[in-house]
Amino acid sequence: MSELLIQGGRPLNGETVVQGAKNSVLPMLAATILTGDTVEIENCPHLRDVTNSIRILEDLGCTARWQGSTLTVDTRGLDQYTVSDHLMREMRSSSVFLGPLLARIGAAELSYPGGCELGPRPIDLHVAGLRELGAEIRESGGMLHCQAGHLVGCELLLSIPSVGATENLMLAACGAEGITVISNAAREPEIVDLQNFLNSCGAEIRGAGTSTITITGGRRLHGCTYRCMPDRIVTATYLCAAASAGGLIFLRGANEAHLATVTAALRQAGCDICADHAGIACRCEERLRGIRSIRTAPYPGFPTDAQAVVMAALCRSQGVTVFEENIFENRYRHVGELCRMGADIRVSGRTAVVTGVENLSGAAVQSTDLRGGAALCVAALGAVGETRISAIHHIDRGYEDITGDLTALGARITRL
């Protein structure tokens, strides 16, 4: 198993290009099924989750090939509708294949998805919405057996603004007859990116980025060439790396509008952040200040995926910061590992109180999940001495080349 070795205490200085967004490209890959054609996705990150999505497409009869950072997918040969249990267990977002399979061929069989163990993330909203569109879904032995002879557009109201359910229902609605309106939809930038991708393929969707999305179904979709948006959580991670270690970095291609709550928190902590059309610059010269409170919430609130990396940066702050996690109940699994490095963090239910310490010390720690592993990298860059991070396969699920990116920013980091 690979490990990361990080020598801390060295200010960062440099520039790197932000990779394409993992949470944009995964639903796009599922959406290619709707086209029955060839699609080119530019700025597509080379990630484990992307590889798993490609394997699902190949199992269904499709083909895919890489050329640099461009992934070409041909779904004309799709002739299967069963996604293997093994591939479903590899990642949570695999459930997004349900909607496009029903829309294209009227059938789908898959098991419940896997992914990081962050607590219950049921797909009940997906299933309920698809049933309202006309799908017949039977659950048996941990499998979903789905049939849809004829999908019909309707009004759908989500009880919570679920990103996955919004994406799945958008994709299914493209193949439904008539108009579908999704109310209380998720508003994340990745939803907007999916809408723009589908419209480039010939769909008629409007409203993404607001709480009401309208899909006019029944349009014949076709292939396209589309460039994926930059990854806002990778951007947040590298901003937090500079906040932890100090220094001056520039993240080319990053879009501050996608993570305004994160940059606002870092500015409050003492970072100097400037952004323009080219990217984001971040300068941190002094020890950070504690922030009164950070509460995770659906977009446009503070993203749960950024909670761990911001917490890691604030471990060496002056003062106290209170975190309240409102999305996933097991999102503090990284806290124990940060405490191994000397952090002072107390957790009670959904609340974590971070009392800043003057120094963290390098230690042998283990990545607990994708964002928790990134948080350990952030903490290690600001720590005294050497940190060895194991179980980095979690990190590889969301970061194309964290070693190369951080090296470009001046970090001393080695993959063993």
Side-chain angles (χ1 to χ4, degrees):
M1 298 294 286
S2 297
E3 297 180 322
L4 290 178
L5 198 64
I6 299 176
Q7 186 68 41
R10 176 188 176 94
L12 302 185
N13 197 305
E15 174 182 320
T16 193
V17 177
V18 175
Q19 69 184 56
K22 163 184 176 284
N23 291 334
S24 270
V25 76
L26 297 182
M28 285 181 199
L29 289 174
T32 61
I33 290 173
L34 296 170
T35 69
D37 202 350
T38 300
V39 173
E40 289 186 346
I41 303 176
E42 298 176 343
N43 198 33
C44 185
H46 290 256
L47 301 170
R48 281 185 59 200
D49 280 5
V50 172
T51 298
N52 287 328
S53 292
I54 292 171
R55 291 168 63 194
I56 290 174
L57 288 168
E58 290 174 341
D59 268 11
L60 295 173
C62 310
T63 62
R65 69 178 187 275
W66 288 98
Q67 185 173 1
S69 63
T70 298
L71 179 64
T72 301
V73 179
D74 186 347
T75 63
R76 288 174 293 180
L78 184 140
D79 59 1
Q80 301 292 323
Y81 59 83
T82 301
V83 181
S84 73
D85 178 69
H86 170 69
L87 292 176
M88 285 297 298
R89 290 178 182 272
E90 287 294 315
M91 59 179 186
R92 171 63 54 174
S93 59
S94 52
S95 58
V96 79
F97 282 88
L98 183 54
L101 282 172
L102 286 173
R104 166 124 179 230
I105 59 177
E109 284 190 0
L110 44 80
S111 63
Y112 284 91
C116 292
E117 298 176 7
L118 303 177
R121 292 191 281 182
I123 61 170
D124 297 359
L125 293 179
H126 306 230
V127 172
L130 292 169
R131 282 176 171 155
E132 289 191 56
L133 288 169
E136 297 179 6
I137 302 177
R138 179 171 53 88
E139 302 177 46
S140 174
M143 295 286 293
L144 294 174
H145 305 272
C146 313
Q147 297 287 329
H150 186 60
L151 296 176
V152 179
C154 64
E155 294 189 5
L156 301 171
L157 174 61
L158 299 181
S159 58
I160 59 173
S162 163
V163 173
T166 300
E167 293 168 343
N168 228 339
L169 297 175
M170 285 174 66
L171 297 177
C174 285
E177 179 183 330
I179 296 175
T180 299
V181 178
I182 305 173
S183 298
N184 197 30
R187 299 167 59 187
E188 275 74 1
E190 293 82 4
I191 301 291
V192 179
D193 214 24
L194 179 60
Q195 171 185 273
N196 293 341
F197 169 76
L198 289 168
N199 286 346
S200 295
C201 294
E204 186 178 337
I205 306 173
R206 64 181 188 276
T210 74
S211 58
T212 302
I213 301 175
T214 303
I215 305 102
T216 301
R219 296 173 65 92
R220 182 174 179 82
L221 302 191
H222 52 72
C224 74
T225 298
Y226 187 83
R227 184 171 182 82
C228 180
M229 64 174 267
D231 195 303
R232 62 193 174 105
I233 306 303
V234 171
T235 301
T237 301
Y238 297 160
L239 291 175
C240 288
S244 177
L248 172 62
I249 67 169
F250 183 71
L251 304 179
R252 187 163 297 280
N255 186 339
E256 189 189 9
H258 293 163
L259 68 161
T261 54
V262 175
T263 54
L266 292 176
R267 285 191 179 99
Q268 188 179 347
C271 297
D272 182 11
I273 298 175
C274 298
D276 58 22
H277 68 279
I280 303 176
C282 178
R283 182 195 302 271
C284 299
E285 297 180 340
E286 305 292 336
R287 185 178 168 192
L288 298 183
R289 300 183 294 270
I291 303 171
R292 180 177 298 176
S293 65
I294 291 177
R295 297 180 175 89
T296 64
Y299 192 87
F302 193 94
T304 182
D305 281 351
Q307 174 254 107
V309 293
V310 173
M311 180 183 290
L314 291 170
C315 283
R316 292 181 52 246
S317 64
Q318 301 179 72
V320 176
T321 303
V322 177
F323 287 81
E324 183 180 314
E325 175 55 55
N326 297 306
I327 307 298
F328 297 129
E329 66 181 32
N330 292 338
R331 208 75 205 237
Y332 290 138
R333 299 177 67 207
H334 55 282
V335 166
E337 301 302 299
L338 290 175
C339 289
R340 285 177 180 267
M341 302 175 68
D344 184 352
I345 307 173
R346 300 290 182 268
V347 174
S348 178
R350 292 184 176 270
T351 301
V353 179
V354 179
T355 302
V357 297
E358 187 168 351
N359 287 303
L360 296 178
S361 300
V365 293
Q366 181 173 317
S367 175
T368 56
D369 55 73
L370 168 54
R371 305 307 175 185
L376 296 178
C377 294
V378 169
L381 291 169
V384 176
E386 185 177 87
T387 298
R388 183 181 293 262
I389 305 173
S390 60
I392 62 172
H393 60 280
H394 290 297
I395 301 174
D396 292 340
R397 288 187 48 239
Y399 296 82
E400 183 174 39
D401 184 13
I402 197 168
T403 304
D405 288 345
L406 290 176
T407 297
L409 296 176
R412 292 178 178 174
I413 176 172
T414 305
R415 188 182 181 106
L416 303 177

